[in-house]
Amino acid sequence: MANLLFPLLLVVLLVPMFLGVRRQKREAQKVADMQENVKVGDQVTTTSGLYGTVVDLDEETVDLEIAEDVVTTWLRAAIRDVRPTGDAAEADSAADEPDEAIAGATVEGAATNGTNGSAAANGSEANGSAPVSGAEESVEDTAARLRKD
């Protein structure tokens, strides 16, 4: 009986480890293939969370446009994923609409900041911070707000 216990223990410990290593290798290969197949015009996300559009490629680096006329150079290994563009993005956004409604309710709830919604409803500032809205703040509005502070 004791002679069978040690081999059984080895099998119980090594089989899950072997399966985990196989899964990890498969995922690493998938990421390597994605990074290798990036092309100009793809919208990507880097490992640091930066969004950009690929404007130039070579064997090891990728040039990303992160804002209009702002291009940065990254290693290909820094690309986490390729974001869908065009028709694929529209199909994904249609599937995500219920999630966006929930997210919008969360933003509205955060905007009230305990004032029963009056600050968020009339667009006035609460506690010195800008009102939360779905639109982005313009450069002029940001500069004016910073000068006021």
Side-chain angles (χ1 to χ4, degrees):
M1 179 74 173
N3 291 338
L4 293 176
L5 187 60
F6 184 69
L8 184 62
L9 183 63
L10 284 177
V11 168
V12 167
L13 293 176
L14 292 179
V15 167
M17 191 181 327
F18 174 74
L19 293 175
V21 168
R22 283 188 55 207
R23 186 181 74 235
Q24 214 172 15
K25 281 184 181 180
R26 198 169 37 243
E27 289 294 322
Q29 184 61 42
K30 184 176 162 185
V31 169
D33 290 343
M34 179 269 308
Q35 290 170 346
E36 188 175 307
N37 293 325
V38 170
K39 58 188 180 299
V40 173
D42 283 348
Q43 293 183 347
V44 299
T45 305
T46 65
T47 54
S48 60
L50 185 76
Y51 293 98
T53 303
V54 177
V55 292
D56 193 25
L57 301 162
D58 65 16
E59 291 298 316
E60 291 191 15
T61 62
V62 176
D63 290 342
L64 299 180
E65 184 177 41
I66 56 174
E68 190 172 328
D69 297 328
V70 179
V71 177
T72 58
T73 302
W74 295 77
L75 290 174
R76 278 186 185 247
I79 296 175
R80 178 182 300 158
D81 63 337
V82 177
R83 296 181 303 153
T85 58
D87 297 333
E90 292 172 7
D92 287 344
S93 67
D96 289 340
E97 285 179 11
D99 293 338
E100 290 174 3
I102 293 170
T106 304
V107 170
E108 288 174 14
T112 60
N113 199 18
T115 59
N116 292 333
S118 59
N122 64 16
S124 66
E125 295 183 357
N127 298 331
S129 63
V132 177
S133 68
E136 291 184 17
E137 185 177 37
S138 70
V139 174
E140 293 82 16
D141 292 341
T142 303
R145 184 173 48 83
L146 291 175
R147 272 188 246 117
K148 193 168 40 172
D149 292 340

